[in-house]
Amino acid sequence: MNSPSAQFVPSRSMSVYDPIHQINMWGEGFKSNGNLGATIPLIDEADLKFDSQSEDASHGILGTPNKYDQEANKPAVDKIQRRLAQNREAARKSRLRKKAYVQQLESSRLKLMQLEQELEQARHQGLYVGGGLDSNNIGFAAPVNSGITTFEMEYGIWVEEQNRQILELRTALNAHIGDMELRILVEGIMNHYSEIFRMKSAAAKADVFYVMSGMWKTTAERFFLWIGGFRPSELLKVLLPLIEPLTEQQRLDIQNLGKSCQQAEDALSQGMDRLQETLAESVAAGQLIEGSYIQQMGSAMEKLEALVGFVNQADHLRQETLHQISRILTTRQAARCLLVLGEYFQRLRALSLLWSNQPREPA
């Protein structure tokens, strides 16, 4: 049996990796465009010190500068110093938010450990908390999956943090803050999306069917589900009209990115169809032995490990698409794009709530 981290490698007729590799290659092309993929040099105190030393040296050669020249340069220096102070304060607040987020996750883990101990004690006392069928029907009783319980608690915290970030980003855009401060917020949101992909990878190892079914999402979000998440090419179609105006080159780059996403999605979908066929064949070939099918499920279990690989590849495509579109756009455009994306998912969750709470006529 393969290891839990093994990934399914499709046949040559289903080249899953080529489209994703093509998307990865986009990053190299965008690094020189001066967008989020490129490093923006910041002016710091060392630069100011160097400028001051250079000015002193020039005084020794050229003599004492004119008093009016000094007065003219003072506002520019003050502006730089204010900008540096603002950058330091924004970075400090970002570190504090991250620390609070980590502490909240740690608190949730402690609560989970306590819950697991209580469940274990209940099982020892003859109580069973499970779902669905009992052991007489399928030959075994499924234990509580602590990996999924952990994911559900962490995901709830993740959504709360995302809502806070979206509110902060909306306020920042309305206040027309500088690009340097805006960049800090953009990078924070991108890191937050990376965190959900890490959490999903761990959850897929615990129960890949749970992740694939989207039970951790609202009903409206599950309507658009594709291999445990959103379909990148469809999301690009939704976002593109809402982040205008774009330059012709940006529009062309995003369209090409969408085509690459579509190719990768098609390859992954074809691989999923083939995996589903082989999994159905393995399950159908099983035989009942001593009232249980467990001994005949070895081949099917190996194919489920391949399914974990498909979920991870789909999430890699989603994450890489977010990174590439942020490199195509300017900092302010990327901030507006992330705001639109976050509000889109908020509206889907709101739609689910409205649908579930609407009054129903008696049958």
Side-chain angles (χ1 to χ4, degrees):
M1 184 180 296
N2 297 333
S3 63
S5 60
Q7 293 189 357
F8 177 73
V9 180
S11 63
R12 293 185 179 180
S13 61
M14 298 180 297
S15 180
V16 175
Y17 291 96
D18 289 343
I20 298 179
H21 176 71
Q22 180 179 355
I23 291 176
N24 290 334
M25 293 297 293
W26 276 81
E28 301 299 325
F30 292 126
K31 286 180 180 177
S32 60
N33 289 348
N35 296 324
L36 286 179
T39 301
I40 298 179
L42 299 178
I43 302 174
D44 55 20
E45 288 84 346
D47 296 327
L48 294 176
K49 183 177 179 181
F50 177 79
D51 292 341
S52 177
Q53 292 174 348
S54 300
E55 185 179 356
D56 292 343
S58 65
H59 289 171
I61 299 174
L62 302 178
T64 303
N66 189 289
K67 179 177 67 174
Y68 299 104
D69 292 338
Q70 291 180 342
E71 293 297 328
N73 291 332
K74 186 176 180 180
V77 174
D78 291 342
K79 182 178 180 181
I80 293 174
Q81 290 177 342
R82 285 196 302 271
R83 177 58 60 85
L84 289 171
Q86 291 172 352
N87 288 343
R88 287 193 294 268
E89 179 64 16
R92 185 186 69 83
K93 290 181 178 179
S94 178
R95 289 192 297 268
L96 289 175
R97 287 194 299 268
K98 183 176 181 181
K99 182 179 179 180
Y101 179 59
V102 172
Q103 289 175 344
Q104 193 174 13
L105 286 178
E106 184 61 27
S107 176
S108 297
R109 288 192 180 96
L110 293 176
K111 292 179 181 178
L112 174 63
M113 291 175 60
Q114 181 180 359
L115 177 61
E116 288 177 342
Q117 291 175 356
E118 293 174 356
L119 289 173
E120 188 65 26
Q121 291 175 358
R123 282 195 292 267
H124 288 164
Q125 294 172 1
L127 301 175
Y128 173 69
V129 180
L133 305 176
D134 59 20
S135 59
N136 294 328
N137 290 329
I138 58 177
F140 69 98
V144 175
N145 194 325
S146 60
I148 295 304
T149 306
T150 300
F151 173 78
E152 289 178 342
M153 296 180 68
E154 291 183 342
Y155 180 68
I157 297 173
W158 187 90
V159 171
E160 291 179 1
E161 174 64 15
Q162 185 193 42
N163 291 336
R164 188 202 62 77
Q165 288 181 338
I166 294 303
L167 177 60
E168 183 179 23
L169 186 60
R170 186 187 302 114
T171 302
L173 286 171
N174 291 336
H176 304 289
I177 68 172
D179 283 356
M180 290 185 180
E181 293 87 346
L182 202 57
R183 181 184 175 88
I184 295 175
L185 297 179
V186 168
E187 291 179 346
I189 294 176
M190 293 294 292
N191 291 335
H192 193 57
Y193 276 109
S194 297
E195 181 66 13
I196 188 59
F197 295 131
R198 181 200 64 78
M199 291 161 50
K200 284 179 61 183
S201 178
K205 293 179 181 179
D207 187 349
V208 67
F209 287 126
Y210 173 87
V211 176
M212 285 287 298
S213 66
M215 294 304 296
W216 45 284
K217 286 182 170 290
T218 60
T219 52
E221 290 176 294
R222 291 202 296 270
F223 180 73
F224 297 97
L225 201 67
W226 174 77
I227 314 184
F230 61 84
R231 188 183 288 269
S233 63
E234 293 298 325
L235 205 57
L236 285 175
K237 294 177 183 178
V238 172
L239 293 177
L240 185 58
L242 301 176
I243 57 178
E244 295 281 0
L246 298 171
T247 66
E248 287 300 321
Q249 185 61 49
Q250 286 177 324
R251 192 174 292 103
L252 177 62
D253 290 341
I254 293 177
Q255 290 174 353
N256 289 335
L257 177 61
K259 292 178 182 178
S260 296
C261 288
Q262 185 66 62
Q263 293 173 4
E265 291 165 10
D266 291 344
L268 283 171
S269 295
Q270 291 172 11
M272 282 287 298
D273 291 342
R274 178 54 184 159
L275 176 62
Q276 190 177 41
E277 292 176 5
T278 57
L279 180 59
E281 293 170 357
S282 298
V283 173
Q287 297 179 355
L288 184 66
I289 300 177
E290 297 180 356
S292 173
Y293 292 103
I294 297 177
Q295 299 178 17
Q296 300 295 315
M297 292 294 103
S299 176
M301 288 294 292
E302 292 180 359
K303 292 175 175 58
L304 292 185
E305 292 175 359
L307 184 57
V308 175
F310 271 104
V311 172
N312 290 334
Q313 290 182 54
D315 272 350
H316 173 70
L317 176 60
R318 284 184 271 265
Q319 184 175 18
E320 192 61 28
T321 301
L322 288 176
H323 283 297
Q324 298 305 337
I325 195 171
S326 69
R327 290 168 182 156
I328 295 173
L329 303 175
T330 65
T331 298
R332 195 160 297 273
Q333 287 173 328
R336 195 164 67 249
C337 177
L338 290 174
L339 177 61
V340 169
L341 178 61
E343 290 179 338
Y344 174 73
F345 289 122
Q346 284 179 335
R347 293 189 186 103
L348 285 178
R349 290 192 285 266
L351 178 61
S352 298
L353 184 61
L354 289 172
W355 175 255
S356 62
N357 292 338
Q358 72 171 344
R360 300 290 199 277
E361 295 183 0

